[in-house]
Amino acid sequence: MTEDLPLTPEQEDQALAAELALGLLDGPEAEAAVARLSTDLAFAQLVRDWQERLAALAESLTPVMAPARARQGIRERLGHSAAPLSEDPAAPSGWWRGPWAVLAGLLAVAVLAAILVLPALPGREAPAPAGPDYRAELLSEDQALRVSARVEGREMEIALESGPAAAGRDYEIWWIEPDGSAPISIGLVPRTGNLRMALPAGLEPSDAIRIALSDEPEGGSPTGQATGPVVAIASLTPS
Amino acid sequence: MTDVRRTELEQLIARVALGDRDAFDQIYEATSAKLHAVCLSVLKDRPEAEETLQEVYIRIWQNASRYAANGLSPMTWLITIARNRAIDRLRARSSRPATAPAEAAECVPCDAPGPEHAAIHAQQRRLLDECLAQLAAPQAHAVRAVYLEGVTYADLAKREGMPINTVRSWLRRSLLRLKDCVSQ
């Protein structure tokens, strides 16, 4: 293909299909191309082929976990969520799957109640019936920031113990695989209290995993990659 | 997400089409971090990306029944929905004239492509990076920026200091070269 030659009609169709898939057309040209989709099956196939080809670009993006409230928001907007606290939005869906739903639901409430109530009870030195599988204590160099991470099954809990982020900043939590792949954002350190989340598929807790905190603008890194300095890092250790 | 196979995702989408909330949860768990990354890449703003992600999954729930008819691989369908919603939002933000509702293509009827089609697509995916590397750097960069950041011809023209028509013919030829390379 030489730069000077005009495009052949086939090439014109290909280029138009690519532009439609990319959202580069506007005005009457866009309307005409969209209208053509429903009458010209071959053209529609060209557009789909471009969508397939281009989606590979997105596959290379580093996954960024959305906060649990996004999922809760979706459930609420679809009318899927029951009354507040009747189920734990952060619990992995496996808990209430299938015929065990009612039992699992009750169990989830019991677990939630245990978590809410236990710390207030005296004699909590007694070992918990089921402790976390892994934990990590994240400590900044000056020891001002202390964050603890606990993983139990597919559930992760992050607690800020001291040193909340400065105004207008947030600490972002990263999951780092041993293979050198890009860190995966799993959320922000809560300013108070605990953050509980289900680990997304593909993240397998083990003692080879490291958890890091980076200093980011409020709301987290705008790019999905760490932009600020890493202030604390620790390995998951079995417990 | 890589451990969720294409057929598994297809089955999950088919179950969502029947109103299966458990399947919907599984799709969310398997794909939300990737789709969130797509929204973030385009919008570069956490709260907006999070809001868009919610719209994306609402759309997935509502449109799952039309998925089987559109002939896209499941991940492409999900990524395309996320990208298009994010770009709609990006353009609404800058009150740019709306461009083609590319999502119209999400629901195009088609003569069902067979499994050989899927194999071709898998192959094309592996090749895409290789073929992008064969384009000149500014062209490869432009293709990525248009797809992953919602850059328009006007943006590219400004960035390259060239008239829109020049940029357009330059990008179209790059896209054609990319396609030729990938389908070789």
Side-chain angles (χ1 to χ4, degrees):
Chain A
M1 185 170 54
T2 344
E3 296 296 327
D4 329 301
L5 291 175
L7 300 183
T8 64
E10 290 77 20
Q11 287 175 327
E12 280 290 345
D13 279 357
Q14 273 294 352
L16 190 69
E19 289 176 309
L20 184 59
L22 284 164
L24 280 170
L25 301 173
D26 47 28
E29 207 174 6
E31 283 162 33
V34 170
R36 191 170 159 194
L37 284 175
S38 46
T39 54
D40 183 344
L41 288 181
F43 179 68
Q45 185 59 50
L46 292 183
V47 174
R48 274 192 300 272
D49 287 344
W50 273 106
Q51 288 173 326
E52 292 286 352
R53 250 172 238 135
L54 293 163
L57 290 170
E59 304 249 20
S60 65
L61 293 174
T62 308
V64 181
M65 237 192 104
R69 63 170 180 268
R71 186 178 198 166
Q72 185 58 14
I74 294 163
R75 288 190 175 143
E76 276 166 16
R77 284 156 77 172
L78 287 175
H80 291 185
S81 59
L85 286 188
S86 67
E87 63 182 27
D88 176 6
S93 60
W95 284 19
W96 60 70
R97 199 167 288 161
W100 297 98
V102 175
L103 188 57
L106 287 173
L107 188 66
V109 171
V111 167
L112 191 64
I115 289 157
L116 293 174
V117 172
L118 269 184
L121 294 177
R124 57 181 289 224
E125 303 78 29
D133 303 329
Y134 292 95
R135 53 171 82 234
E137 297 299 325
L138 293 138
L139 201 58
S140 61
E141 213 169 354
D142 62 4
Q143 314 223 336
L145 169 69
R146 295 175 76 95
V147 170
S148 71
R150 296 148 55 93
V151 179
E152 203 172 335
R154 304 284 316 157
E155 185 150 319
M156 185 155 183
E157 183 176 1
I158 302 282
L160 175 72
E161 287 168 2
S162 67
R169 309 292 298 175
D170 267 315
Y171 291 121
E172 187 150 8
I173 312 157
W174 303 89
W175 177 279
I176 304 173
E177 301 276 349
D179 62 2
S181 56
I184 297 163
S185 168
I186 52 175
L188 300 176
V189 174
R191 294 190 161 264
T192 55
N194 299 359
L195 167 74
R196 296 172 65 83
M197 66 182 117
L199 286 175
L203 299 192
E204 290 308 324
S206 82
D207 55 8
I209 299 297
R210 288 181 305 158
I211 304 295
L213 303 179
S214 70
D215 182 15
E216 301 290 342
E218 192 167 11
S221 156
T223 64
Q225 323 285 330
T227 60
V230 169
V231 293
I233 186 163
S235 295
L236 284 183
T237 49
S239 56
Chain B
M1 181 187 48
T2 42
D3 52 355
V4 176
R5 306 230 169 279
R6 177 191 167 116
T7 46
E8 281 175 55
L9 257 185
E10 276 175 349
Q11 284 162 5
L12 288 173
I13 294 172
R15 282 167 56 194
V16 168
L18 301 172
D20 184 332
R21 293 179 188 183
D22 179 49
F24 184 63
D25 276 343
Q26 289 183 52
I27 291 178
Y28 185 89
E29 269 171 39
T31 62
S32 60
K34 178 61 78 182
L35 301 192
H36 188 215
V38 170
C39 296
L40 254 180
S41 170
V42 171
L43 292 163
K44 305 207 177 351
D45 177 280
R46 287 296 266 255
E48 280 197 88
E50 190 183 318
E51 174 63 26
T52 306
L53 186 73
Q54 297 192 27
E55 291 170 10
V56 167
Y57 279 91
I58 286 164
R59 199 173 189 87
I60 291 168
W61 174 263
Q62 291 167 341
N63 287 0
S65 57
R66 290 195 249 161
Y67 165 69
N70 73 15
L72 292 176
S73 74
M75 213 48 220
T76 296
W77 183 62
L78 299 174
I79 287 170
T80 304
I81 292 175
R83 179 188 177 265
N84 290 347
R85 301 269 354 136
I87 283 181
D88 280 352
R89 198 175 184 101
L90 178 75
R91 302 206 168 141
R93 188 204 277 171
S94 58
S95 58
R96 272 209 194 98
T99 50
E103 70 197 34
E106 282 160 26
C107 307
V108 209
C110 76
D111 34 358
E116 72 280 4
H117 225 79
I120 291 167
H121 286 144
Q123 206 175 15
Q124 285 179 344
R125 257 162 214 232
R126 281 195 298 277
L127 280 168
L128 187 82
D129 274 335
E130 228 169 275
C131 290
L132 270 173
Q134 286 181 22
L135 295 180
Q139 274 91 333
H141 182 78
V143 172
R144 281 184 210 277
V146 167
Y147 190 76
L148 294 175
E149 298 173 42
V151 163
T152 61
Y153 279 138
D155 298 327
L156 282 177
K158 211 161 144 192
R159 192 181 284 185
E160 303 289 332
M162 294 196 275
I164 288 187
N165 280 343
T166 311
V167 173
R168 184 174 184 187
S169 93
W170 170 97
L171 190 77
R172 291 178 121 215
R173 288 189 188 274
S174 305
L175 288 165
L176 290 174
R177 206 168 299 136
L178 191 63
K179 190 241 149 207
D180 286 343
C181 172
V182 170
S183 25
Q184 249 167 29

